[in-house]
């Protein structure tokens, strides 16, 4: 599988990270919990992932492309759990 990540936006003041997976419009968002939201396109495929309170660590196991997301989180110097 090729790396799906197009770009990453980090906002230290908001303690948030947004990971862009595809360059298509967002049709809907699913809340996995109060710290993680996944945006989907009209084809029901993930478009992006919004991670909040990232300084407390990020649980990646439930995320689409979890191994790719884990590498990004590690590169940002954040804890994975």
């Amino acid at each position: 599988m090729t790396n799906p990540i197009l770009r990453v936006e980090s906002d230290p003041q908001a303690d948030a990270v947004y990971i862009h997976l595809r360059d298509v419009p967002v049709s809907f968002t699913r809340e996995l919990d109060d710290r993680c939201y996944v945006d989907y396109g009209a084809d029901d495929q993930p478009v992006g992932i919004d991670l909040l309170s990232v300084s407390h660590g990020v649980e990646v196991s439930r995320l689409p492309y979890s191994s790719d997301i884990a590498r990004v989180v590690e590169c940002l110097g954040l804890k994975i759990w």
Side-chain angles (χ1 to χ4, degrees), residues 30-38 49-52 63:
R30 288 192 180 130
E31 179 180 348
L32 297 184
D33 58 38
D34 62 340
R35 296 176 53 200
C36 182
Y37 299 83
V38 180
I49 300 171
D50 197 11
L51 302 170
L52 308 176
L63 298 176

Side-chain angles (χ1 to χ4, degrees), residues 13-80:
Q13 287 185 328
D15 199 19
V17 171
Y18 190 83
I19 301 170
H20 297 267
L21 302 172
R22 299 189 302 147
D23 193 19
V24 298
V26 174
S27 291
F28 63 96
T29 301
R30 288 192 180 130
E31 179 180 348
L32 297 184
D33 58 38
D34 62 340
R35 296 176 53 200
C36 182
Y37 299 83
V38 180
D39 293 331
Y40 290 85
D43 60 359
D44 291 333
Q45 296 301 309
V47 171
I49 300 171
D50 197 11
L51 302 170
L52 308 176
S53 300
V54 294
S55 64
H56 299 287
V58 177
E59 180 182 353
V60 298
S61 63
R62 299 180 304 154
L63 298 176
Y65 309 108
S66 59
S67 60
D68 293 317
I69 301 302
R71 283 193 293 276
V72 168
V73 169
E74 284 180 336
C75 286
L76 294 171
L78 302 170
K79 183 172 105 177
I80 296 174

